[in-house]
């Protein structure tokens, strides 16, 4: 079996799927693994994306898990490594983007890392090192109220510098606009000045092409999924089409939602407004995850089959703050994640074959509860979110179609649109 070209380590599950989706769209064969799998790869692929749940764990744990993933990818023979972080650079002053990048630099032997979360297609752009979501700088968006990683500074050079001992510089737009050779010259000049990491500006798909070309031959990049657009051009591969071999859907449809992000809350509201069946976990009861899950499962079981159902915990920033004040931030988050993981497991055991999970951390919890270790990447629903397929054994005898949606991704009608798209395949 030929060796994969690119080995990726993603710091959360939806981010991993988003990255896999980018490579798949370029015609590369992609597999996403959930953590480092016990078994080898089922078939030859061009890209392997290892999904970790390391975004908000303590930095030393994130480093250790990322190094284990790197060792496994290195044994597969990957030529380049990609540390995938969130397109809103979700992190705290303790990490984990800085510490993991530093550890992977050592492990890969790379002495300079270009770092950019830019993903213009999804309205994430970086200019003068400042991250914008649409027209707003990061700290003016709902990310400042994120339950786990509130982002209060849009200046990524500053944010990254707070997390690492490496010196962090900037590859500004003026250089990127002049092409890959100019970016390589800038990297050389930053290196000569003692920098080891640089945040790179990018405003368009073309800028990502330039950056992709500029990092050809580098052992490591740290980026959101956008940079994946610029990497395939550096490799020789035979493009393949996903429609032909993606399995057809079976079973009931359900949505499990633990994201409190604005886009997800709009998606939930749109689903409710359209008359969808919904059950809301009572956030103030999060102290008892098992009871929380059981109530939702009891509600869901008789409703499975005809139409999609939605179980959600999404709440406004004020409600989240009230819940966190009562139970503590970590306990509240972990408890809701655990409850939704149990709900997902029960739904799949009872015949759900098409499942959407909304929320990065929530997706991690659900995938772990379902015991899934490898996902085939399929059709894109919205930028950054593809349908995936987990073979039989993933908590179900038929296999499971799964969409793992990062909180802020997707149009308002995402839930119904996604199921419609899958039904069109059947
Ligand atoms: P996103 O992709 O939008 O960031 P995540 O699932 O990654 O979504 O993160 C949302 C976090 O908020 C999870 O830890 C989840 O358990 C927690 N959470 C969900 N609902 C509530 C709530 N009502 N109160 C407090 N925390 C919540």
């Amino acid at each position: 079996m030929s060796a994969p070209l690119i080995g990726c380590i993603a710091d959360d599950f939806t981010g991993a799927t988003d990255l896999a989706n980018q490579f798949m769209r370029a015609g590369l064969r992609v597999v996403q693994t959930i953590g480092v799998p016990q078994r080898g790869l089922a078939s030859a692929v061009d890209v392997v994306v290892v999904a970790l749940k390391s975004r908000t764990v303590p930095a030393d744990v994130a480093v250790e898990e990322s190094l284990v993933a790197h060792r496994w990818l290195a044994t597969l023979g990957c030529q380049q490594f990609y540390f995938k972080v969130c397109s809103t650079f979700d992190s705290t002053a303790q990490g984990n983007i800085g510490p993991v990048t530093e550890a992977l630099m050592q492990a890969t032997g790379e002495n300079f890392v270009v770092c950019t979360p830019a993903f213009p297609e999804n309205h994430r752009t970086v200019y003068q090192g400042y991250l914008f979501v649409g027209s707003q700088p990061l700290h003016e968006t709902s990310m400042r109220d994120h339950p786990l990683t509130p982002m209060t500074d849009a200046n990524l050079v500053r944010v990254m510098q707070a997390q690492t001992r490496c010196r962090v510089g900037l590859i500004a737009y003026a250089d990127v606009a002049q092409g890959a050779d100019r970016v390589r010259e800038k990297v050389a000049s930053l290196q000569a000045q003692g920098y080891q990491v640089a945040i790179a500006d990018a405003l368009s798909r073309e800028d990502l092409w330039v950056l992709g070309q500029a990092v050809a031959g580098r052992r490591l990049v740290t980026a959101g999924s956008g940079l994946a657009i610029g990497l395939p051009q550096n490799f020789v591969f035979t493009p393949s089409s996903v429609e032909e071999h993606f399995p057809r859907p079976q079973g009931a449809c359900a949505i499990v939602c633990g994201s409190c992000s604005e886009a997800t809350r709009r998606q939930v509201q749109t689903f409710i407004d359209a008359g969808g069946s919904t059950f809301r976990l009572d956030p103030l009861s999060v102290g008892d995850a098992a009871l929380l899950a059981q109530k939702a499962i009891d509600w869901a079981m008789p409703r499975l089959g005809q139409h999609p159902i939605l179980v959600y915990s999404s709440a406004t920033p004020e409600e989240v703050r009230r819940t966190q004040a009562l139970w503590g931030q970590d306990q509240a988050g972990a408890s809701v994640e655990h409850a939704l993981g149990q709900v997902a497991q029960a739904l799949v055991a009872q015949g759900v074959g098409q499942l959407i999970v909304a929320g990065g951390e929530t997706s991690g919890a659900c995938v772990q509860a379902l015991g899934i270790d490898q996902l085939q990447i399929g059709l894109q629903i919205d930028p950054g979110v593809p349908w995936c397929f987990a073979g039989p054994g993933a908590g179900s005898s038929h296999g499971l179609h799964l969409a793992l949606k990062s909180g802020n991704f997707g149009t308002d009608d995402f839930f119904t649109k996604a199921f419609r798209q899958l039904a069109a395949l059947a």
Side-chain angles (χ1 to χ4, degrees), residues 12 14 55 90 143 146-148 257-261 264 280-283 286 313-315 319-321 323-324 329 332-338 340 358-363 405-408:
D12 90 335
T14 50
R55 185 171 294 169
D90 297 12
M143 278 308 301
H146 190 277
L148 306 175
C257 175
S259 164
C260 299
S261 300
T264 303
R280 183 170 192 231
L281 299 188
D282 172 12
V286 298
S313 68
S314 316
E319 287 172 300
V320 169
R321 271 193 288 274
T323 306
Q324 290 180 336
Q329 174 177 299
S335 187
V336 174
E337 285 171 34
H338 184 72
L340 291 175
E361 297 293 325
T362 310
S363 291
K405 191 195 79 71
S406 179
N408 272 318

mmCIF file of all heavy atoms in Angstrom, residues 12 14 55 90 143 146-148 257-261 264 280-283 286 313-315 319-321 323-324 329 332-338 340 358-363 405-408, ligand 1:
data_model
loop_
_atom_site.group_PDB
_atom_site.id
_atom_site.type_symbol
_atom_site.label_atom_id
_atom_site.label_comp_id
_atom_site.label_asym_id
_atom_site.label_seq_id
_atom_site.Cartn_x
_atom_site.Cartn_y
_atom_site.Cartn_z
ATOM 1 N N ASP A 12 -9.862 19.023 17.263
ATOM 2 C CA ASP A 12 -11.214 18.584 17.629
ATOM 3 C C ASP A 12 -11.858 17.860 16.456
ATOM 4 O O ASP A 12 -11.316 17.825 15.353
ATOM 5 C CB ASP A 12 -12.077 19.725 18.184
ATOM 6 C CG ASP A 12 -12.875 20.463 17.110
ATOM 7 O OD1 ASP A 12 -12.434 20.442 15.950
ATOM 8 O OD2 ASP A 12 -13.904 21.055 17.458
ATOM 9 N N THR A 14 -14.949 18.119 14.787
ATOM 10 C CA THR A 14 -15.550 18.779 13.626
ATOM 11 C C THR A 14 -14.468 19.433 12.784
ATOM 12 O O THR A 14 -14.572 19.492 11.559
ATOM 13 C CB THR A 14 -16.585 19.845 14.051
ATOM 14 O OG1 THR A 14 -15.993 20.683 15.031
ATOM 15 C CG2 THR A 14 -17.829 19.212 14.592
ATOM 16 N N ARG A 55 -8.412 20.307 22.171
ATOM 17 C CA ARG A 55 -8.450 21.768 22.125
ATOM 18 C C ARG A 55 -8.499 22.379 23.524
ATOM 19 O O ARG A 55 -7.877 23.405 23.779
ATOM 20 C CB ARG A 55 -9.666 22.227 21.307
ATOM 21 C CG ARG A 55 -9.722 23.722 21.115
ATOM 22 C CD ARG A 55 -10.796 24.107 20.131
ATOM 23 N NE ARG A 55 -10.497 23.633 18.794
ATOM 24 C CZ ARG A 55 -11.351 23.643 17.784
ATOM 25 N NH1 ARG A 55 -12.572 24.111 17.961
ATOM 26 N NH2 ARG A 55 -11.001 23.183 16.597
ATOM 27 N N ASP A 90 -9.463 29.043 18.412
ATOM 28 C CA ASP A 90 -9.930 28.793 19.790
ATOM 29 C C ASP A 90 -8.806 28.257 20.659
ATOM 30 O O ASP A 90 -8.254 27.185 20.390
ATOM 31 C CB ASP A 90 -11.062 27.758 19.794
ATOM 32 C CG ASP A 90 -12.282 28.237 19.038
ATOM 33 O OD1 ASP A 90 -12.178 29.247 18.327
ATOM 34 O OD2 ASP A 90 -13.323 27.581 19.166
ATOM 35 N N MET A 143 -17.584 34.818 19.582
ATOM 36 C CA MET A 143 -16.489 34.020 20.150
ATOM 37 C C MET A 143 -16.027 34.565 21.500
ATOM 38 O O MET A 143 -15.415 33.865 22.279
ATOM 39 C CB MET A 143 -15.302 33.960 19.184
ATOM 40 C CG MET A 143 -15.452 32.921 18.097
ATOM 41 S SD MET A 143 -15.858 31.292 18.730
ATOM 42 C CE MET A 143 -14.461 30.977 19.797
ATOM 43 N N HIS A 146 -17.618 32.423 24.087
ATOM 44 C CA HIS A 146 -17.577 30.956 23.963
ATOM 45 C C HIS A 146 -17.470 30.325 25.351
ATOM 46 O O HIS A 146 -16.708 30.800 26.192
ATOM 47 C CB HIS A 146 -16.383 30.526 23.095
ATOM 48 C CG HIS A 146 -16.436 29.068 22.750
ATOM 49 N ND1 HIS A 146 -15.972 28.102 23.610
ATOM 50 C CD2 HIS A 146 -16.934 28.417 21.677
ATOM 51 C CE1 HIS A 146 -16.173 26.908 23.048
ATOM 52 N NE2 HIS A 146 -16.750 27.080 21.875
ATOM 53 N N PRO A 147 -18.242 29.239 25.598
ATOM 54 C CA PRO A 147 -18.238 28.645 26.943
ATOM 55 C C PRO A 147 -16.846 28.187 27.407
ATOM 56 O O PRO A 147 -16.563 28.209 28.604
ATOM 57 C CB PRO A 147 -19.172 27.442 26.811
ATOM 58 C CG PRO A 147 -20.019 27.700 25.617
ATOM 59 C CD PRO A 147 -19.227 28.585 24.699
ATOM 60 N N LEU A 148 -15.981 27.736 26.493
ATOM 61 C CA LEU A 148 -14.702 27.151 26.930
ATOM 62 C C LEU A 148 -13.485 27.980 26.526
ATOM 63 O O LEU A 148 -12.501 28.035 27.265
ATOM 64 C CB LEU A 148 -14.548 25.731 26.350
ATOM 65 C CG LEU A 148 -15.698 24.763 26.644
ATOM 66 C CD1 LEU A 148 -15.480 23.437 25.921
ATOM 67 C CD2 LEU A 148 -15.845 24.522 28.135
ATOM 68 N N CYS A 257 -27.492 18.244 19.521
ATOM 69 C CA CYS A 257 -26.890 19.568 19.399
ATOM 70 C C CYS A 257 -26.476 20.119 20.763
ATOM 71 O O CYS A 257 -27.308 20.356 21.616
ATOM 72 C CB CYS A 257 -27.941 20.454 18.724
ATOM 73 S SG CYS A 257 -27.448 22.146 18.625
ATOM 74 N N GLY A 258 -25.162 20.326 20.931
ATOM 75 C CA GLY A 258 -24.662 20.902 22.182
ATOM 76 C C GLY A 258 -23.948 22.213 21.956
ATOM 77 O O GLY A 258 -23.321 22.745 22.862
ATOM 78 N N SER A 259 -24.036 22.720 20.738
ATOM 79 C CA SER A 259 -23.365 23.984 20.428
ATOM 80 C C SER A 259 -24.255 25.151 20.851
ATOM 81 O O SER A 259 -25.469 25.124 20.634
ATOM 82 C CB SER A 259 -23.105 24.062 18.920
ATOM 83 O OG SER A 259 -22.813 25.385 18.559
ATOM 84 N N CYS A 260 -23.624 26.150 21.444
ATOM 85 C CA CYS A 260 -24.370 27.364 21.820
ATOM 86 C C CYS A 260 -24.000 28.515 20.895
ATOM 87 O O CYS A 260 -24.327 29.670 21.160
ATOM 88 C CB CYS A 260 -24.058 27.741 23.273
ATOM 89 S SG CYS A 260 -24.523 26.461 24.436
ATOM 90 N N SER A 261 -23.273 28.214 19.831
ATOM 91 C CA SER A 261 -22.834 29.261 18.907
ATOM 92 C C SER A 261 -24.034 29.867 18.186
ATOM 93 O O SER A 261 -25.061 29.209 18.008
ATOM 94 C CB SER A 261 -21.872 28.674 17.873
ATOM 95 O OG SER A 261 -20.771 28.133 18.527
ATOM 96 N N THR A 264 -25.560 27.986 15.190
ATOM 97 C CA THR A 264 -26.310 26.786 15.584
ATOM 98 C C THR A 264 -27.637 27.168 16.221
ATOM 99 O O THR A 264 -28.661 26.524 15.969
ATOM 100 C CB THR A 264 -25.497 25.928 16.571
ATOM 101 O OG1 THR A 264 -24.262 25.591 15.965
ATOM 102 C CG2 THR A 264 -26.238 24.660 16.930
ATOM 103 N N ARG A 280 -35.515 19.952 24.502
ATOM 104 C CA ARG A 280 -34.425 20.770 25.024
ATOM 105 C C ARG A 280 -33.998 20.255 26.396
ATOM 106 O O ARG A 280 -34.819 20.114 27.303
ATOM 107 C CB ARG A 280 -34.906 22.212 25.154
ATOM 108 C CG ARG A 280 -33.790 23.100 25.624
ATOM 109 C CD ARG A 280 -34.163 24.561 25.538
ATOM 110 N NE ARG A 280 -32.966 25.334 25.737
ATOM 111 C CZ ARG A 280 -32.858 26.324 26.614
ATOM 112 N NH1 ARG A 280 -33.880 26.660 27.358
ATOM 113 N NH2 ARG A 280 -31.719 26.968 26.739
ATOM 114 N N LEU A 281 -32.704 19.962 26.534
ATOM 115 C CA LEU A 281 -32.183 19.563 27.844
ATOM 116 C C LEU A 281 -32.245 20.790 28.735
ATOM 117 O O LEU A 281 -31.880 21.883 28.308
ATOM 118 C CB LEU A 281 -30.727 19.121 27.743
ATOM 119 C CG LEU A 281 -30.385 17.936 26.861
ATOM 120 C CD1 LEU A 281 -28.933 17.548 27.062
ATOM 121 C CD2 LEU A 281 -31.269 16.750 27.168
ATOM 122 N N ASP A 282 -32.690 20.600 29.965
ATOM 123 C CA ASP A 282 -32.779 21.730 30.891
ATOM 124 C C ASP A 282 -31.376 22.061 31.402
ATOM 125 O O ASP A 282 -30.816 21.307 32.191
ATOM 126 C CB ASP A 282 -33.702 21.339 32.049
ATOM 127 C CG ASP A 282 -33.687 22.398 33.131
ATOM 128 O OD1 ASP A 282 -33.166 23.500 32.875
ATOM 129 O OD2 ASP A 282 -34.192 22.101 34.225
ATOM 130 N N PRO A 283 -30.809 23.196 30.949
ATOM 131 C CA PRO A 283 -29.409 23.453 31.290
ATOM 132 C C PRO A 283 -29.165 23.546 32.789
ATOM 133 O O PRO A 283 -28.112 23.158 33.267
ATOM 134 C CB PRO A 283 -29.105 24.794 30.616
ATOM 135 C CG PRO A 283 -30.332 25.240 29.942
ATOM 136 C CD PRO A 283 -31.419 24.274 30.186
ATOM 137 N N VAL A 286 -27.910 20.349 34.732
ATOM 138 C CA VAL A 286 -26.767 19.621 34.168
ATOM 139 C C VAL A 286 -25.967 18.846 35.208
ATOM 140 O O VAL A 286 -25.125 18.028 34.859
ATOM 141 C CB VAL A 286 -25.784 20.534 33.378
ATOM 142 C CG1 VAL A 286 -26.453 21.166 32.200
ATOM 143 C CG2 VAL A 286 -25.137 21.561 34.271
ATOM 144 N N SER A 313 -29.168 21.322 23.671
ATOM 145 C CA SER A 313 -28.932 22.000 24.952
ATOM 146 C C SER A 313 -28.600 23.467 24.703
ATOM 147 O O SER A 313 -28.326 24.202 25.655
ATOM 148 C CB SER A 313 -27.766 21.346 25.680
ATOM 149 O OG SER A 313 -26.570 21.596 24.956
ATOM 150 N N SER A 314 -28.598 23.866 23.453
ATOM 151 C CA SER A 314 -28.166 25.221 23.068
ATOM 152 C C SER A 314 -28.879 26.271 23.907
ATOM 153 O O SER A 314 -30.072 26.155 24.169
ATOM 154 C CB SER A 314 -28.476 25.468 21.600
ATOM 155 O OG SER A 314 -28.114 24.343 20.848
ATOM 156 N N ALA A 315 -28.127 27.282 24.309
ATOM 157 C CA ALA A 315 -28.684 28.317 25.174
ATOM 158 C C ALA A 315 -27.999 29.638 24.847
ATOM 159 O O ALA A 315 -26.937 29.664 24.229
ATOM 160 C CB ALA A 315 -28.453 27.927 26.630
ATOM 161 N N GLU A 319 -27.861 32.462 29.595
ATOM 162 C CA GLU A 319 -28.258 31.175 30.186
ATOM 163 C C GLU A 319 -27.023 30.319 30.472
ATOM 164 O O GLU A 319 -26.934 29.656 31.498
ATOM 165 C CB GLU A 319 -29.190 30.425 29.226
ATOM 166 C CG GLU A 319 -30.573 31.016 29.151
ATOM 167 C CD GLU A 319 -31.393 30.364 28.036
ATOM 168 O OE1 GLU A 319 -30.980 30.433 26.857
ATOM 169 O OE2 GLU A 319 -32.424 29.779 28.361
ATOM 170 N N VAL A 320 -26.070 30.332 29.522
ATOM 171 C CA VAL A 320 -24.844 29.553 29.723
ATOM 172 C C VAL A 320 -24.117 30.070 30.968
ATOM 173 O O VAL A 320 -23.671 29.285 31.803
ATOM 174 C CB VAL A 320 -23.928 29.646 28.478
ATOM 175 C CG1 VAL A 320 -22.550 29.069 28.765
ATOM 176 C CG2 VAL A 320 -24.559 28.918 27.293
ATOM 177 N N ARG A 321 -24.038 31.386 31.109
ATOM 178 C CA ARG A 321 -23.351 31.962 32.283
ATOM 179 C C ARG A 321 -24.039 31.532 33.580
ATOM 180 O O ARG A 321 -23.381 31.188 34.555
ATOM 181 C CB ARG A 321 -23.302 33.495 32.173
ATOM 182 C CG ARG A 321 -22.050 33.974 31.438
ATOM 183 C CD ARG A 321 -21.840 35.463 31.602
ATOM 184 N NE ARG A 321 -22.808 36.239 30.843
ATOM 185 C CZ ARG A 321 -22.658 36.565 29.563
ATOM 186 N NH1 ARG A 321 -21.581 36.198 28.903
ATOM 187 N NH2 ARG A 321 -23.574 37.262 28.934
ATOM 188 N N THR A 323 -25.806 28.819 34.094
ATOM 189 C CA THR A 323 -25.529 27.400 34.325
ATOM 190 C C THR A 323 -24.098 27.212 34.836
ATOM 191 O O THR A 323 -23.849 26.440 35.761
ATOM 192 C CB THR A 323 -25.720 26.611 33.004
ATOM 193 O OG1 THR A 323 -27.017 26.888 32.518
ATOM 194 C CG2 THR A 323 -25.555 25.127 33.208
ATOM 195 N N GLN A 324 -23.176 27.954 34.224
ATOM 196 C CA GLN A 324 -21.768 27.811 34.636
ATOM 197 C C GLN A 324 -21.564 28.324 36.055
ATOM 198 O O GLN A 324 -20.761 27.788 36.810
ATOM 199 C CB GLN A 324 -20.864 28.554 33.663
ATOM 200 C CG GLN A 324 -20.807 27.877 32.296
ATOM 201 C CD GLN A 324 -19.909 28.591 31.313
ATOM 202 O OE1 GLN A 324 -19.668 29.797 31.449
ATOM 203 N NE2 GLN A 324 -19.426 27.870 30.325
ATOM 204 N N GLN A 329 -17.674 26.017 34.967
ATOM 205 C CA GLN A 329 -17.605 25.940 33.503
ATOM 206 C C GLN A 329 -17.309 24.518 33.016
ATOM 207 O O GLN A 329 -17.999 23.986 32.148
ATOM 208 C CB GLN A 329 -16.523 26.891 33.006
ATOM 209 C CG GLN A 329 -16.274 26.779 31.527
ATOM 210 C CD GLN A 329 -15.242 27.784 31.035
ATOM 211 O OE1 GLN A 329 -15.429 28.978 31.138
ATOM 212 N NE2 GLN A 329 -14.151 27.272 30.512
ATOM 213 N N ALA A 332 -20.145 21.952 33.870
ATOM 214 C CA ALA A 332 -21.342 22.164 33.041
ATOM 215 C C ALA A 332 -21.097 21.613 31.635
ATOM 216 O O ALA A 332 -21.903 20.846 31.097
ATOM 217 C CB ALA A 332 -21.699 23.645 32.974
ATOM 218 N N GLY A 333 -19.941 21.974 31.057
ATOM 219 C CA GLY A 333 -19.630 21.531 29.695
ATOM 220 C C GLY A 333 -19.544 20.013 29.617
ATOM 221 O O GLY A 333 -20.153 19.386 28.748
ATOM 222 N N ALA A 334 -18.785 19.430 30.550
ATOM 223 C CA ALA A 334 -18.570 17.978 30.515
ATOM 224 C C ALA A 334 -19.883 17.231 30.719
ATOM 225 O O ALA A 334 -20.141 16.203 30.077
ATOM 226 C CB ALA A 334 -17.558 17.575 31.587
ATOM 227 N N SER A 335 -20.719 17.763 31.588
ATOM 228 C CA SER A 335 -21.968 17.088 31.900
ATOM 229 C C SER A 335 -22.908 17.086 30.688
ATOM 230 O O SER A 335 -23.502 16.055 30.341
ATOM 231 C CB SER A 335 -22.595 17.806 33.095
ATOM 232 O OG SER A 335 -23.700 17.114 33.535
ATOM 233 N N VAL A 336 -23.026 18.220 30.028
ATOM 234 C CA VAL A 336 -23.892 18.294 28.832
ATOM 235 C C VAL A 336 -23.320 17.395 27.736
ATOM 236 O O VAL A 336 -24.051 16.643 27.079
ATOM 237 C CB VAL A 336 -24.014 19.750 28.318
ATOM 238 C CG1 VAL A 336 -24.788 19.796 27.013
ATOM 239 C CG2 VAL A 336 -24.697 20.624 29.362
ATOM 240 N N GLU A 337 -21.996 17.438 27.555
ATOM 241 C CA GLU A 337 -21.372 16.587 26.529
ATOM 242 C C GLU A 337 -21.654 15.113 26.820
ATOM 243 O O GLU A 337 -22.000 14.340 25.926
ATOM 244 C CB GLU A 337 -19.850 16.796 26.515
ATOM 245 C CG GLU A 337 -19.438 18.100 25.868
ATOM 246 C CD GLU A 337 -17.953 18.384 26.050
ATOM 247 O OE1 GLU A 337 -17.161 17.431 26.055
ATOM 248 O OE2 GLU A 337 -17.587 19.567 26.209
ATOM 249 N N HIS A 338 -21.498 14.729 28.087
ATOM 250 C CA HIS A 338 -21.711 13.327 28.460
ATOM 251 C C HIS A 338 -23.160 12.929 28.178
ATOM 252 O O HIS A 338 -23.425 11.874 27.587
ATOM 253 C CB HIS A 338 -21.363 13.134 29.942
ATOM 254 C CG HIS A 338 -21.454 11.720 30.370
ATOM 255 N ND1 HIS A 338 -20.537 10.773 29.974
ATOM 256 C CD2 HIS A 338 -22.383 11.073 31.119
ATOM 257 C CE1 HIS A 338 -20.888 9.599 30.480
ATOM 258 N NE2 HIS A 338 -21.998 9.761 31.172
ATOM 259 N N LEU A 340 -25.293 14.241 26.063
ATOM 260 C CA LEU A 340 -25.599 14.168 24.631
ATOM 261 C C LEU A 340 -24.935 12.949 23.987
ATOM 262 O O LEU A 340 -25.478 12.346 23.061
ATOM 263 C CB LEU A 340 -25.188 15.473 23.935
ATOM 264 C CG LEU A 340 -26.057 16.686 24.330
ATOM 265 C CD1 LEU A 340 -25.525 17.963 23.694
ATOM 266 C CD2 LEU A 340 -27.519 16.473 23.921
ATOM 267 N N ALA A 358 -24.132 18.702 16.302
ATOM 268 C CA ALA A 358 -23.699 20.099 16.194
ATOM 269 C C ALA A 358 -22.874 20.479 17.414
ATOM 270 O O ALA A 358 -23.312 20.296 18.552
ATOM 271 C CB ALA A 358 -24.916 21.015 16.075
ATOM 272 N N GLY A 359 -21.675 21.000 17.141
ATOM 273 C CA GLY A 359 -20.755 21.390 18.214
ATOM 274 C C GLY A 359 -19.494 20.551 18.157
ATOM 275 O O GLY A 359 -19.570 19.321 18.003
ATOM 276 N N GLY A 360 -18.340 21.219 18.223
ATOM 277 C CA GLY A 360 -17.062 20.507 18.131
ATOM 278 C C GLY A 360 -16.850 19.563 19.290
ATOM 279 O O GLY A 360 -16.632 18.351 19.113
ATOM 280 N N GLU A 361 -16.932 20.098 20.503
ATOM 281 C CA GLU A 361 -16.722 19.259 21.685
ATOM 282 C C GLU A 361 -17.830 18.215 21.774
ATOM 283 O O GLU A 361 -17.595 17.063 22.130
ATOM 284 C CB GLU A 361 -16.724 20.122 22.950
ATOM 285 C CG GLU A 361 -15.603 21.151 23.015
ATOM 286 C CD GLU A 361 -14.230 20.513 23.145
ATOM 287 O OE1 GLU A 361 -14.115 19.474 23.799
ATOM 288 O OE2 GLU A 361 -13.271 21.051 22.556
ATOM 289 N N THR A 362 -19.027 18.632 21.439
ATOM 290 C CA THR A 362 -20.170 17.719 21.483
ATOM 291 C C THR A 362 -19.951 16.557 20.515
ATOM 292 O O THR A 362 -20.234 15.399 20.833
ATOM 293 C CB THR A 362 -21.460 18.481 21.114
ATOM 294 O OG1 THR A 362 -21.523 19.662 21.911
ATOM 295 C CG2 THR A 362 -22.686 17.638 21.339
ATOM 296 N N SER A 363 -19.423 16.863 19.334
ATOM 297 C CA SER A 363 -19.151 15.804 18.352
ATOM 298 C C SER A 363 -18.137 14.822 18.908
ATOM 299 O O SER A 363 -18.275 13.604 18.745
ATOM 300 C CB SER A 363 -18.605 16.404 17.055
ATOM 301 O OG SER A 363 -19.608 17.134 16.411
ATOM 302 N N LYS A 405 -20.888 18.865 12.809
ATOM 303 C CA LYS A 405 -20.921 20.282 12.412
ATOM 304 C C LYS A 405 -20.308 21.175 13.480
ATOM 305 O O LYS A 405 -20.756 21.191 14.614
ATOM 306 C CB LYS A 405 -22.369 20.722 12.171
ATOM 307 C CG LYS A 405 -22.487 22.076 11.510
ATOM 308 C CD LYS A 405 -23.893 22.643 11.615
ATOM 309 C CE LYS A 405 -24.170 23.241 12.958
ATOM 310 N NZ LYS A 405 -23.452 24.512 13.232
ATOM 311 N N SER A 406 -19.304 21.899 13.108
ATOM 312 C CA SER A 406 -18.728 22.875 14.018
ATOM 313 C C SER A 406 -19.769 23.964 14.279
ATOM 314 O O SER A 406 -20.526 24.331 13.382
ATOM 315 C CB SER A 406 -17.485 23.456 13.347
ATOM 316 O OG SER A 406 -16.920 24.418 14.176
ATOM 317 N N GLY A 407 -19.794 24.462 15.514
ATOM 318 C CA GLY A 407 -20.858 25.375 15.954
ATOM 319 C C GLY A 407 -21.236 26.462 14.974
ATOM 320 O O GLY A 407 -22.407 26.639 14.644
ATOM 321 N N ASN A 408 -20.254 27.188 14.464
ATOM 322 C CA ASN A 408 -20.582 28.358 13.658
ATOM 323 C C ASN A 408 -20.735 28.085 12.167
ATOM 324 O O ASN A 408 -20.874 29.008 11.385
ATOM 325 C CB ASN A 408 -19.528 29.453 13.882
ATOM 326 C CG ASN A 408 -19.933 30.315 15.058
ATOM 327 O OD1 ASN A 408 -21.103 30.662 15.194
ATOM 328 N ND2 ASN A 408 -18.993 30.616 15.931
HETATM 329 P P1 LIG B 1 -19.128 24.869 19.351
HETATM 330 O O1 LIG B 1 -18.671 24.059 18.157
HETATM 331 O O2 LIG B 1 -20.266 25.778 19.074
HETATM 332 O O3 LIG B 1 -17.971 25.545 20.055
HETATM 333 P P2 LIG B 1 -18.971 22.821 21.359
HETATM 334 O O4 LIG B 1 -19.774 21.567 21.428
HETATM 335 O O5 LIG B 1 -17.525 22.708 20.928
HETATM 336 O O6 LIG B 1 -19.752 23.816 20.399
HETATM 337 O O7 LIG B 1 -18.925 23.587 22.746
HETATM 338 C C1 LIG B 1 -20.064 23.908 23.459
HETATM 339 C C2 LIG B 1 -19.801 23.597 24.923
HETATM 340 O O8 LIG B 1 -20.853 24.173 25.673
HETATM 341 C C3 LIG B 1 -19.806 22.097 25.223
HETATM 342 O O9 LIG B 1 -18.852 21.785 26.206
HETATM 343 C C4 LIG B 1 -21.222 21.893 25.754
HETATM 344 O O10 LIG B 1 -21.317 20.755 26.596
HETATM 345 C C5 LIG B 1 -21.430 23.182 26.512
HETATM 346 N N1 LIG B 1 -22.865 23.495 26.656
HETATM 347 C C6 LIG B 1 -23.854 23.166 25.806
HETATM 348 N N2 LIG B 1 -25.033 23.637 26.246
HETATM 349 C C7 LIG B 1 -24.789 24.267 27.417
HETATM 350 C C8 LIG B 1 -25.604 24.953 28.349
HETATM 351 N N3 LIG B 1 -26.914 25.068 28.138
HETATM 352 N N4 LIG B 1 -25.005 25.478 29.439
HETATM 353 C C9 LIG B 1 -23.667 25.375 29.627
HETATM 354 N N5 LIG B 1 -22.833 24.736 28.777
HETATM 355 C C10 LIG B 1 -23.391 24.181 27.686
#
